[in-house]
Amino acid sequence: MIDLKKLRDDPARFEKGAKAKGSSVDIQRLLELDEARRKLTVAQEACRAEQKRISKEMGPELGKRKGMLKKAEGEEKARLESEIAELEARPSALKAEIHAFDEQIAANEPEWRDLLLAIPQPPADDVPIGASSDDNVELSQWHPDGFDPAIPFAEQRGFAPKTHVELIDSLDLVDFERGVKMAGSRSYVLKGDGMRLHQAMLRYAFDFMTQENGFTPMNVPVIVREECMVGTGFFPGGRDQAYHVEESRRGAGQDLFLTGTGEVGLMGYHADEIIDRSELPITYTTVSTCFRREAGAAGKDTAGLYRVHQFDKVEQVVIHEADEEEHRAWHRKMIGYVETMLQRLELPYRLLQCCTGDLGTKNEDMIDVECWIPGRGKDGPDGRPTGDWGETHSASRLSDFQTRRLNLRYRDENKRTVFPYALNNTVLASPRILIPMLEIHQQEDGTILIPEPLRPYMGDLERIG
RNA sequence: GGAGAGGUGGCGGAGCGGUUGAACGCGCCAGUCUCGAAAACUGGUAUGGCCUCCGGGUCAUCGAGGGUUCGAAUCCCUCCCUCUCCGCCA
């Protein structure tokens, strides 16, 4: 959520930001509604103040007369009744007025709220303008000795690569057919060494964050209330991407939603709290199952493990003091963790600066990490894919957008409450990461060589197959 | 799932229709005392919105929302949550 005060001060900044993100939200309309709302509130508060004053002044008198009225008869009764009517006249009128204001305020509340939640966080000034992911800008590349994505796979490895789907099939690592039988399209079953590798990678990534980088390990709910989804900025915009558990239809008061990322639980954890400054920065990591409907992605990445409804992800989240420089430093640091890990896993990757059109509502900056996937991309003359980059990580800088929505604050050195800044980044998402993993580390004989760091997590297994 | 109890400030805990944003205690902060500390004493100690001639003013908030009333922490309704006992169960 954006800061309404900042919006009033500088609407042009937000209009420019919304445009750059390709949002058509009507900011002028929100300003109008907000102005009307404040005018009504001021007028209503004046009425309330008077009502309060009158009530304190004459309330007890009124109470006394009402008490006497019960016993009174004849002339005295008539006198009391008229006195009471006189005393009640003004407050009654005020009450009606206040009620009328209430109705007016309530009438424009839904539209006001919807607009406020829909206004995107303006991108940082140095984020390149662009319409879609096609306009993202490559920042850097890394590849291990012995494999350069710029050179065709066969040329440097001496054999034609299999796609991950083919490898999975020949090594019996995943059962798509039975997955679909049980749970529909985009479902799968990891089995045997497929499951072992999946677990090994998650466990390695989790230990890397908690043991080497000191992040606090967490396990958080993956089925949450709507406020969590709104607070973290996924709703209302991404409502159709989340699985909806309609508990209300079974008599419960509230519906629940399956989270698409551990970020929801890690950020929602401190919602509505005022954290002590000494607790910052907060660094959390979780491994959680993620659920995504992938609505609107029909026909995209249908084969294999790239785009699935359910996966597991190690996620990192940082909450720190509201400071621009620190914010950027953490962003680099969190991306650095991922780079270190991918280098140890010997997976070629590149960093992509996402353009404004690819940021989504909540981010002010986002850098994606893409791994090289030989079995992806356009087909070559031999009818085989020529390889392409595939997104495996996404590092977001959110400034105070999320903490404001979550009402998560800290107290600064002047004892004032401030919304801290938050970031999140994937550490490792599997099974998607298995795609580059299997394809890059495949050997000519069809086996998969397991990178050193993962072996302890697989009973010292050196290769699959 | 059944039966019961209850949700008040950082915590404990009063209040149960009329200056109650809320007694009292603890905690915390500042001051006095002290070489310093402890103790004691004194004072202070919620969050948010809006308005502001920047002195302040004002409204809201006692789990959440709605209602009754001139007036609600107090009465009514709905929901959420916690606890105890029983049942079921990974």
Side-chain angles (χ1 to χ4, degrees):
Chain A
M1 183 156 61
I2 53 128
D3 185 349
L4 255 179
K5 273 187 209 147
K6 285 185 182 153
L7 179 73
R8 287 200 287 264
D9 288 347
D10 187 8
R13 181 178 155 236
F14 290 88
E15 277 174 340
K16 191 178 149 212
K19 202 179 153 208
K21 284 191 168 185
S23 159
S24 56
V25 63
D26 192 344
I27 289 177
Q28 281 308 319
R29 176 66 182 153
L30 176 63
L31 288 168
E32 281 166 27
L33 286 170
D34 183 52
E35 167 121 32
R37 184 186 162 88
R38 275 182 298 135
K39 274 191 177 148
L40 288 168
T41 308
V42 168
Q44 186 189 42
E45 280 181 8
C47 288
R48 281 221 165 100
E50 192 182 349
Q51 182 190 49
K52 238 180 168 175
R53 194 179 54 76
I54 292 172
S55 177
K56 275 178 187 170
E57 210 171 75
M58 60 158 72
E61 284 298 309
L62 193 53
K64 201 161 79 186
R65 280 177 176 74
K66 280 194 174 172
M68 284 159 68
L69 185 63
K70 282 182 191 159
K71 295 176 205 155
E73 275 175 31
E75 237 173 75
E76 192 182 1
K77 189 176 176 184
R79 183 177 59 81
L80 284 168
E81 273 173 348
S82 83
E83 276 178 14
I84 288 169
E86 201 181 311
L87 284 169
E88 280 187 353
R90 256 207 303 171
S92 288
L94 280 171
K95 191 186 172 186
E97 238 178 292
I98 290 166
H99 194 72
F101 279 125
D102 259 341
E103 278 176 359
Q104 289 181 68
I105 292 166
N108 85 17
E109 154 91 26
E111 193 185 355
W112 176 84
R113 170 151 293 281
D114 288 350
L115 281 169
L116 181 59
L117 287 175
I119 293 180
Q121 156 140 270
D125 291 337
D126 49 354
V127 171
I129 306 286
S132 73
S133 55
D134 296 337
D135 300 315
N136 293 345
V137 180
E138 183 175 302
L139 296 175
S140 66
Q141 262 193 40
W142 179 91
H143 59 83
D145 293 340
F147 190 87
D148 184 350
I151 303 167
F153 188 99
E155 208 171 292
Q156 49 188 330
R157 299 286 302 275
F159 66 95
K162 291 181 178 169
T163 67
H164 81 281
V165 176
E166 291 162 339
L167 290 165
I168 278 167
D169 200 41
S170 64
L171 297 168
D172 198 20
L173 303 177
V174 182
D175 187 337
F176 289 105
E177 243 173 74
R178 291 196 177 92
V180 170
K181 173 182 78 179
M182 292 189 287
S185 68
R186 298 189 189 282
S187 299
Y188 59 93
V189 175
L190 296 170
K191 54 191 288 202
D193 286 336
M195 176 55 177
R196 281 194 194 97
L197 185 61
H198 167 82
Q199 283 295 320
M201 294 194 78
L202 290 167
R203 188 57 204 268
Y204 175 65
F206 188 73
D207 287 352
F208 172 67
M209 290 312 290
T210 59
Q211 291 170 16
E212 283 192 49
N213 300 312
F215 276 52
T216 306
M218 305 281 276
N219 179 278
V220 292
V222 295
I223 169 167
V224 302
R225 296 202 166 144
E226 186 160 8
E227 302 92 88
C228 266
M229 299 300 277
V230 173
T232 45
F234 288 95
F235 282 13
R239 215 167 196 282
D240 60 349
Q241 290 301 335
Y243 287 101
H244 183 171
V245 184
E246 294 188 293
E247 281 296 284
S248 62
R249 291 174 65 171
R250 310 170 70 179
Q254 284 200 15
D255 283 355
L256 296 164
F257 297 85
L258 302 189
T259 60
T261 165
E263 170 195 345
V264 175
L266 291 180
M267 287 302 302
Y269 184 65
H270 288 295
D272 294 315
E273 291 182 18
I274 299 175
I275 294 167
D276 196 86
R277 181 162 163 257
S278 63
E279 289 176 54
L280 300 176
I282 287 171
T283 58
Y284 287 146
T285 193
T286 188
V287 52
S288 69
T289 302
C290 306
F291 302 92
R292 300 190 181 178
R293 288 187 69 226
E294 297 296 352
K300 247 165 95 182
D301 312 307
T302 45
L305 292 171
Y306 195 81
R307 194 174 297 280
V308 292
H309 288 308
Q310 177 184 330
F311 59 95
D312 293 299
K313 179 154 65 81
V314 180
E315 180 78 2
Q316 51 174 324
V317 149
V318 172
I319 303 167
H320 66 86
E321 284 187 50
D323 180 85
E324 179 71 20
E325 217 171 289
E326 190 180 349
H327 203 40
R328 287 173 183 265
W330 267 116
H331 199 210
R332 287 190 294 272
K333 205 167 172 181
M334 293 166 79
I335 294 163
Y337 297 143
V338 169
E339 290 194 76
T340 301
M341 191 188 66
L342 291 177
Q343 288 174 17
R344 291 189 196 165
L345 296 174
E346 298 168 65
L347 295 176
Y349 66 85
R350 67 170 182 173
L351 300 188
L352 261 198
Q353 169 64 58
C354 293
C355 72
T356 55
D358 205 20
L359 290 187
T361 306
K362 60 196 178 104
N363 300 337
E364 78 170 21
D365 187 13
M366 181 163 82
I367 288 177
D368 280 356
V369 178
E370 298 189 332
C371 285
W372 180 256
I373 301 174
R376 214 172 141 77
K378 289 188 186 116
D379 286 348
D382 59 354
R384 301 281 302 166
T386 52
D388 197 2
W389 300 99
E391 182 194 324
T392 52
H393 300 71
S394 198
S396 297
R397 237 175 67 204
L398 297 118
S399 184
D400 63 0
F401 189 83
Q402 213 168 32
T403 55
R404 189 181 296 279
R405 281 200 187 213
L406 286 165
N407 194 30
L408 191 176
R409 292 157 292 167
Y410 73 97
R411 222 173 269 290
D412 71 5
E413 62 272 27
N414 301 315
K415 305 250 177 199
R416 300 177 73 117
T417 54
V418 182
F419 293 105
Y421 285 7
L423 309 94
N424 60 74
N425 187 9
T426 318
V427 180
L428 184 136
S430 186
R432 185 180 278 191
I433 196 71
L434 298 183
I435 301 170
M437 191 67 198
L438 295 172
E439 294 190 7
I440 293 290
H441 294 297
Q442 63 180 303
Q443 306 299 306
E444 193 166 7
D445 63 2
T447 61
I448 312 291
L449 195 64
I450 299 167
E452 207 82 53
L454 297 179
R455 292 182 190 170
Y457 293 95
M458 297 188 72
D460 292 325
L461 193 67
E462 282 174 28
R463 62 178 68 228
I464 296 173

